[in-house]
Each structure stands twice: as C-alpha cells, then as structure tokens.
Amino acid sequence: MNRKTIFKMVFLMGIGGVIGIILSLGLLKLHQPNYIRSFVQIGDFFVRNSFAFYIGLILCLFLPAVYQYVKAKRNYNQINISDDRADAYEKAGEDSFNLSMLINGVFLILNMMLFGMTFDKTRGDFLLVMFLFMFSVICASVLEIVAIRYIQKVDNRLKGEPTSLRFHKDFLESCDEAEKLRIYKCGYNAFQVSKNVSLGFIVITMISNITLETGTFPIFISCMIMLIQVTSYNYYSFRH
C-alpha cells in the first residue's frame, strides 16, 4: 500500500468523522420536544391529505409516464416511414421509452411509500385510500407490461414474457453483445451507487438510534439491503 492510498484512506476517514459529528449534533437538536412535535404534525398532515397525494402522484407522474410511452410509440412508428431519419426516430423513441419506465418506477415506489407512511385502518376513507393505492399499483404494472410487449413487437429478437419470473433472464439472453455490455455497465454502476447509499443509510440509522433511540429495526433493514447487494454481486461473480 503506497503513501497515496494511505493518505486517501485517512482523508476519507476524516471526512466520515466530520460528517458523523455533524449528523450527531443535528439529530440531538432534532430530539428537542418542539422539533418532535413538528415531525408529528408533518406526519399527521400526510395522513389527513393522503387522498390528495395519491391523486397528485397520478397527475404528476403516471400521466407523464403514459405520455412518454405514447411519444415513444409515435417515434418508433416513424422509423419505417422516414428512412433518412430512421436513426433519429429510433434514438428519440428509446429515450422516451426509458424516461417513461423511469417515471413509472418512481410513481410505483412513491405510492408504496405513501401507503406505508399513512396507513390507518380507523380512518373514515380507508377503503377509498386502499382502492387508490391498488389502482395505482395495477396501472403502473400494466403500463410496464404493455410497454415491454410493444418493444418486443418493434424488435422481435427480444424474448421473455413480462409476467414471468424468468423474464429478465430470457430478455437478457435475447439481447446482442452490444446491448448486453450496456446492461452490464449500467448494472455495475447502479450497484456501486446503491452500495454507497446503503452504507450512508447504515451510518444514519446507527447515529439516529444512538441520539434519538429510533430502535434497531431500521439498522437491521439497512444492513440487510447492503448484505443482499454484496452477497448477490459476489455470488454471480463466482458463477461467471
């Protein structure tokens, strides 16, 4: 280990220590009664207005996801009509399709987050909120299935049934080498980002338990997420 590596490790440890001290002081500040009341009031606000938040998510995320999907179809349909601009239409269609799936995924995750944060069986509109949550989840799932089947129709090389547990394996096997390389690069970068974020969550939940007594369960969940990421990555590394 050379001096540059040692210096870099010490520097990163120093930054981590400073961040830990700042987080600890900040969380101790938030532990005061007036701040706790503010967080409780914010939580109550989300519970009282969860119906409006569900409608807002549909309007602000799901409808734009549908729009981007329709836009992607429109560009793909132009490929055979305009040969001189086929590449441009294909690129525009791919970008719109990827954006649609990104927005749709965020929509699904935020719906689950909202449902978990505002769940209350005693509320008067519980059945309505439950319906909106299920409706949102079904709409997001249907859009993804329909979009994937359309892409398979555009490019009949791509295989896999979207509703099957084998879909990702079958889809990957049907891609060409360039597409596989792109998927592998995106997957590796996503793994590195999620691993670092998981480590950050572990540190935050540990400090929160020390300063705010939030319990051990958030720490357990954060560590399990990172454990699954690391073990699954190394498992497939050994297999290949």
Side-chain angles (χ1 to χ4, degrees):
M1 186 179 298
N2 56 39
R3 292 182 179 179
K4 185 177 179 180
T5 303
I6 296 174
F7 175 78
K8 185 178 180 180
M9 291 177 62
V10 172
F11 178 71
L12 292 175
M13 289 174 63
I15 293 177
V18 172
I19 293 174
I21 292 172
I22 295 173
L23 284 174
S24 299
L25 294 175
L27 291 172
L28 284 172
K29 184 72 174 177
L30 292 176
H31 197 42
Q32 296 178 4
N34 56 328
Y35 287 104
I36 293 176
R37 284 195 298 270
S38 298
F39 283 118
V40 172
Q41 291 172 355
I42 293 173
D44 292 339
F45 173 78
F46 274 93
V47 172
R48 289 194 309 269
N49 299 280
S50 57
F51 176 80
F53 280 111
Y54 279 112
I55 299 299
L57 287 176
I58 292 174
L59 295 176
C60 297
L61 289 177
F62 181 69
L63 293 184
V66 174
Y67 169 76
Q68 290 296 329
Y69 166 64
V70 173
K71 186 178 177 182
K73 287 183 62 177
R74 189 163 58 243
N75 281 291
Y76 279 122
N77 291 337
Q78 291 293 325
I79 293 176
N80 296 327
I81 299 176
S82 179
D83 293 336
D84 56 332
R85 297 192 59 194
D87 291 340
Y89 281 122
E90 184 178 4
K91 180 66 167 60
E94 183 180 357
D95 290 343
S96 296
F97 176 81
N98 291 334
L99 183 57
S100 173
M101 293 298 96
L102 171 61
I103 298 174
N104 191 55
V106 173
F107 169 71
L108 179 61
I109 293 170
L110 290 182
N111 268 280
M112 292 182 176
M113 182 187 297
L114 181 62
F115 181 75
M117 292 172 58
T118 61
F119 180 80
D120 184 3
K121 292 188 295 185
T122 62
R123 57 187 300 166
D125 58 349
F126 171 74
L127 292 179
L128 178 60
V129 170
M130 178 66 76
F131 169 77
L132 281 174
F133 170 69
M134 295 302 299
F135 175 77
S136 299
V137 171
I138 292 172
C139 286
S141 302
V142 169
L143 176 60
E144 184 170 348
I145 292 171
V146 170
I148 291 173
R149 285 178 174 169
Y150 176 77
I151 291 299
Q152 291 175 328
K153 182 179 178 181
V154 172
D155 188 350
N156 54 22
R157 295 180 304 106
L158 303 176
K159 307 299 180 182
E161 170 55 43
T163 59
S164 172
L165 295 176
R166 286 181 49 88
F167 167 71
H168 294 290
K169 182 178 180 180
D170 295 338
F171 185 87
L172 181 61
E173 290 177 351
S174 64
C175 294
D176 60 29
E177 293 303 317
E179 292 168 336
K180 288 180 180 179
L181 180 60
R182 181 182 178 185
I183 292 172
Y184 294 152
K185 287 182 176 180
C186 292
Y188 177 75
N189 290 328
F191 165 75
Q192 293 296 336
V193 171
S194 60
K195 186 182 71 171
N196 293 331
V197 172
S198 298
L199 181 59
F201 282 141
I202 292 173
V203 173
I204 292 174
T205 53
M206 288 174 62
I207 296 175
S208 297
N209 188 39
I210 294 171
T211 56
L212 303 180
E213 298 181 356
T214 54
T216 59
F217 190 66
I219 302 174
F220 173 77
I221 294 297
S222 301
C223 291
M224 284 301 299
I225 292 173
M226 189 169 184
L227 181 64
I228 292 172
Q229 290 174 328
V230 173
T231 54
S232 60
Y233 178 83
N234 285 280
Y235 168 75
Y236 286 107
S237 295
F238 288 133
R239 284 193 59 182
H240 296 85

